[in-house]
Amino acid sequence: AWTMRNEQATSSAERTLTIGRLARAAGVGVETIRYYQGRGLLPVPPSIGAVRYYATALVDRIGFIKRAQGLGFTLDEIATLLDLADGRNRRAVRAVTSARLEQIRGKLDDLSRMQRSLDGLLAHCIATGDVYPCPIIEALVADPSTAREQRSSTDRSH
């Protein structure tokens, strides 16, 4: 488990990576590390001279962040998960995960609705041929109620 306090308390001997080396080891850009620091996901170690040294454990933390993003978690949700990374508060972890899953289900419903609409428009476009105005373009340009009326009148003329 990671905590900001533990990472900041590591000895300077354990801080073996510069920001560039940390970025390369984690497979991200330096800008990503700075962005994560600004969002509070990664600590900003004290500088030693003009250089900051980072604990090698941050490579794993960045991996955690990237994998969580790949599952659709927002950075705010990831911050919560990082705070819960020790796994002791499973109820809170489940709550964050359930909320994300509900949002994904909503997006899937939206995508299914869009797919059905586009399937219908494409089929209608193919059925009307090149003689009539394109129903896809009509649907994008027209008011939805007007587009429905135009499609209905086109359907009746066939």
Side-chain angles (χ1 to χ4, degrees), residues 4-136:
M4 299 292 234
R5 189 174 50 255
N6 290 345
E7 287 169 3
Q8 289 174 342
T10 57
S11 72
S12 55
E14 292 176 29
R15 293 185 186 279
T16 59
L17 301 174
T18 62
I19 193 167
R21 287 186 177 155
L22 174 61
R24 279 190 299 283
V28 299
V30 169
E31 304 81 22
T32 300
I33 291 173
R34 288 194 177 113
Y35 182 71
Y36 289 168
Q37 288 175 324
R39 295 292 303 262
L41 299 171
L42 295 176
V44 179
S47 58
I48 300 171
V51 181
R52 296 181 191 277
Y53 291 96
Y54 295 82
T56 56
L58 290 178
V59 173
D60 292 336
R61 185 178 178 103
I62 293 167
F64 179 101
I65 295 166
K66 298 307 286 180
R67 284 187 296 280
Q69 283 181 307
L71 291 173
F73 287 102
T74 66
L75 292 180
D76 288 338
E77 291 166 333
I78 293 169
T80 300
L81 290 172
L82 285 167
D83 287 342
L84 300 168
D86 63 12
R88 285 181 283 174
N89 189 346
R90 288 198 178 185
R91 182 177 297 155
V93 171
R94 284 192 304 266
V96 171
T97 303
S98 293
R100 171 53 48 199
L101 193 53
E102 196 56 39
Q103 289 172 347
I104 289 170
R105 286 185 181 120
K107 286 180 182 183
L108 287 172
D109 290 344
D110 289 344
L111 288 171
S112 292
R113 180 189 46 75
M114 287 186 272
Q115 180 183 11
R116 286 189 305 275
S117 294
L118 289 174
D119 279 341
L121 286 169
L122 185 58
H124 189 68
C125 184
I126 292 167
T128 59
D130 294 339
V131 178
Y132 298 98
C134 176
I136 297 169

